Amino acid sequence: MSNQDLSITAKLINGGVAGLVGVTCVFPIDLAKTRLQNQQRKDVYKGMTDCLMKTARAEGFLGMYRGAAVNLTLVTPEKAIKLAANDFLRQLLMQDGTQRNLKMEMLAGCGAGICQVVVTCPMEMLKIQLQDAGRVAVSHQGSASSAPTSRPYSTGSASTHRRPSATLIAWELLRTQGLSGLYRGLGATLLRDIPFSIIYFPLFANLNQLGVSEVTGKAPFAHSFVAGCAAGSVAAVAVTPLDVLKTRIQTLEKGLGEGTYSGVTECARKLWAQEGAAAFMKGAGCRALVIAPLFGIAQGIYFIGIGERILKCLE
């Protein structure tokens, strides 16, 4: 195996391990973010803490991890693609790795955001349905005679309506809409992920560079972790309005009285007219709390070089 192949394989391992660890730690907060963003006129949850407490009481501890299996399954290739693509493009676009070139760093981040969407879009499409199912069930309580506005993955039974599975949702979407069903909201996902990567990767690279040791050529774990948290928080809050639009568009089943959207433009227009400007920042705090440790852990593991160590042991 050549050094280049070894490097790419190590990057993929690092990204995968980082994704698994990060998602396991922050998934309940991500669930709260999805439910808060999907609330329209009648608020079931007053905030993140209220959402998590009500979810735990109504659905149990495991209810806060609804949709985690999908995320854990697909986050490995997603994070591996994102981190490896950014690193590869940085090396390709920047001739001298010691020189900071903001334009090239932003371009590399843009490329990473485009590459990851092939996994991110279907992953979040399925995850959102599972995460929001509890909120939708609460919305329908006491109104059994009223049919939901959309039930594209329901088999007709109440139990399936309350507790859909990722396999059932994916099968129904593929059967009724084809592959495009799993890629609903692709444009909105790109609109979110590309700006996020353009902001995050250059910001992290410059923050992390401040702690790089001249002896080892790497920053300490703690510094990489803090740099990842800081850059992730800034990028996450900056693109929250786009994340709200993506979440609304990808949510297939709505609560009673909640509207549907045909695209990004209509969603933005209705959101502004019906809920005001503040609605575009719903879940911003949750999103920052999710992304900060997620990318802090990811970058810390990535720069520790777990992948390199695993491959070295296998030699």
Side-chain angles (χ1 to χ4, degrees), residues 59 66 129-130 133-134 136-137 140 144 148 151 153-166 168-169 253:
E59 304 169 50
R66 183 177 292 183
Q129 315 317 315
L130 298 172
V136 173
H140 285 288
R151 190 177 293 185
Y153 53 79
S154 173
T155 61
S157 69
S159 61
T160 301
H161 167 62
R162 289 194 298 270
R163 293 186 179 277
S165 70
L168 174 63
I169 296 170
E253 188 168 7

Side-chain angles (χ1 to χ4, degrees), residues 113-190:
I114 293 173
C115 290
Q116 76 168 84
V117 78
V118 68
V119 177
T120 303
C121 190
M123 178 184 74
E124 298 217 350
M125 179 70 184
L126 296 174
K127 182 191 71 172
I128 285 171
Q129 315 317 315
L130 298 172
Q131 287 182 325
D132 203 43
R135 185 192 67 86
V136 173
V138 171
S139 175
H140 285 288
Q141 284 178 357
S143 302
S145 60
S146 299
T149 57
S150 174
R151 190 177 293 185
Y153 53 79
S154 173
T155 61
S157 69
S159 61
T160 301
H161 167 62
R162 289 194 298 270
R163 293 186 179 277
S165 70
T167 303
L168 174 63
I169 296 170
W171 171 250
E172 286 297 318
L173 287 172
L174 288 171
R175 185 179 65 83
T176 59
Q177 302 177 34
L179 191 60
S180 62
L182 286 176
Y183 280 87
R184 178 187 176 97
L186 177 62
T189 305
L190 284 168

Side-chain angles (χ1 to χ4, degrees), residues 72-108:
L72 289 171
T73 301
L74 296 179
V75 74
T76 297
E78 187 219 24
K79 284 293 178 287
I81 291 171
K82 186 185 187 88
L83 295 173
N86 177 74
D87 205 25
F88 174 77
L89 290 171
R90 281 173 60 86
Q91 293 177 6
L92 184 67
L93 295 170
M94 299 171 65
Q95 296 179 354
D96 186 352
T98 62
Q99 298 292 324
R100 299 265 73 83
N101 187 324
L102 184 59
K103 290 182 179 180
M104 291 299 101
E105 289 175 341
M106 293 176 70
L107 187 58

Side-chain angles (χ1 to χ4, degrees), residues 14-71:
N14 286 332
V17 172
L20 289 172
V21 174
V23 167
T24 302
C25 293
V26 302
F27 192 84
I29 304 175
D30 186 63
L31 179 140
K33 180 216 68 145
T34 297
R35 294 189 176 188
L36 291 172
Q37 286 182 338
N38 266 329
Q39 292 191 137
Q40 294 187 24
R41 295 175 183 83
K42 182 180 179 180
D43 289 348
V44 177
Y45 311 109
K46 298 177 182 178
M48 181 187 72
T49 303
D50 183 56
C51 179
L52 292 175
M53 290 178 63
K54 287 181 177 177
T55 299
R57 285 199 299 266
E59 304 169 50
F61 176 78
L62 293 180
M64 295 189 291
Y65 278 87
R66 183 177 292 183
V70 174
N71 217 18

